[in-house]
Amino acid sequence: MTVNPTALITGASRGLGRALAAGLAREGFDLIIDARDAAALDAAAGALRAAGGAPTDPGAHRPSGAVTALAGDVTDPAHRAALLAAAQAAGRLDLLVNNAGTLGASPLPALADYPPDELRAAFEVNVIAPIALTQLLLPVLRASGGAVLNITSDAAVEAYAGWGGYGAAKAALEQASNVLAAEEPVLRVWWADPGDLRTDMHQLAFPGEDISDRPEPAAVVPAFVRLVTERLPSGRYRASHLMPVAP
Ligand SMILES: NC(=O)c1ccc[n+]([C@@H]2O[C@H](COP(=O)([O-])OP(=O)(O)OC[C@H]3O[C@@H](n4cnc5c(N)ncnc54)[C@H](OP(=O)(O)O)[C@@H]3O)[C@@H](O)[C@H]2O)c1
């Protein structure tokens, strides 16, 4: 019996996580997904299952398989343990996508005014939780020769006024990814900037502004699919540099 590869994607009820889940399902991955809002997560899981089934071209890709949806907060150790149990039940884990994230305080404050409790909370979601989840999943990832994809941002490397809290947290995640790549040569470890996307988080960063000129998250999925399917070397990537070139 052929076992589909399995991907665990955090924050897959909407936005980039949901688009990545759909793209990986099309590539034949079984999915484990989470988000805090159970109703939104169940709706996303239902849509992913409905989109599954036999591919129109039998030679193209395998049909998507199981979708396991677990509602919870990535900062909650009990929820992370439930995600591990789901990966163990799947029997393998080929890809962990640490996508769930928070903008932090909004409107974006200058560092001079950043409430320390909100800064700490942003680091919990954007840095501590993905590292802790990765720690938990490393044995099953190693056993599958898997990969870790950490979703970061250009704010990790550029000095945008107001983006100091979010950007510092994403910079910390980038360096943790860099060290993990050195420590785990059997795995692939990628940290990637998806670029500006038309999502709830992006709207929160630009309250009241028209963000309809930003691309939909689905637009960058081919870049991430390329990263995964070509198993590119560990390192930092920008989705815009990874887009497949039309033949
Ligand atoms: N949009 C952009 O322009 C942009 C640019 C650069 C980088 N990024 C990064 O891309 C990733 C996805 O962002 P997005 O724009 O798609 O955001 P989004 O539309 O707000 O979606 C975020 C997803 O994560 C979930 N989530 C948030 N906090 C969570 C938590 N503590 N535990 C579990 N799930 C949680 C949300 O569901 P619940 O709220 O129900 O939990 C939702 O499914 C983030 O890491 C973000 O920093 C985005």
Side-chain angles (χ1 to χ4, degrees):
M1 187 184 79
T2 310
V3 178
N4 286 340
T6 300
L8 193 165
I9 307 165
T10 64
S13 64
R14 62 171 189 264
L16 177 60
R18 181 168 173 170
L20 285 174
L24 290 168
R26 284 193 295 273
E27 293 298 319
F29 277 79
D30 287 350
L31 302 174
I32 302 166
I33 58 173
D34 87 345
R36 291 164 302 174
D37 180 334
L41 182 67
D42 283 349
L48 287 164
R49 289 188 193 106
T56 46
D57 173 3
H61 298 296
R62 282 173 290 167
S64 64
V67 180
T68 302
L70 290 172
D73 190 321
V74 288
T75 64
D76 175 5
H79 174 59
R80 294 196 297 263
L83 292 173
L84 170 62
Q88 288 169 331
R92 60 182 301 133
L93 186 63
D94 301 271
L95 177 65
L96 165 63
V97 185
N98 283 307
N99 165 79
T102 179
L103 185 67
S106 173
L108 292 165
L111 276 175
D113 307 315
Y114 214 111
D117 284 350
E118 294 197 51
L119 190 58
R120 197 171 290 113
F123 271 72
E124 279 291 338
V125 179
N126 292 341
V127 187
I128 307 298
I131 294 174
L133 183 59
T134 305
Q135 289 174 333
L136 210 53
L137 293 169
L138 271 176
V140 61
L141 282 165
R142 288 187 193 120
S144 306
V148 178
L149 168 58
N150 290 328
I151 303 298
T152 65
S153 169
D154 58 339
V157 293
E158 303 290 345
Y160 302 129
W163 291 78
Y166 174 87
K170 290 294 191 182
L173 181 60
E174 293 218 344
Q175 182 58 357
S177 310
N178 201 358
V179 172
L180 186 71
E183 292 175 346
E184 301 287 341
V186 171
L187 305 182
R188 288 290 188 274
V189 182
W190 305 299
W191 51 110
D193 164 22
D196 288 354
L197 300 171
R198 198 185 318 166
T199 67
D200 288 6
M201 183 190 287
H202 199 85
Q203 186 69 74
L204 203 58
F206 300 94
E209 285 187 36
D210 178 9
I211 62 163
S212 61
D213 60 334
R214 275 63 150 192
E216 294 280 5
V220 295
V221 167
F224 291 106
V225 165
R226 189 184 156 208
L227 194 60
V228 171
T229 56
E230 293 185 20
R231 202 170 162 81
L232 295 178
S234 294
R236 184 178 200 275
Y237 290 89
R238 292 170 64 182
S240 58
H241 292 172
L242 276 174
M243 293 301 279
V245 179

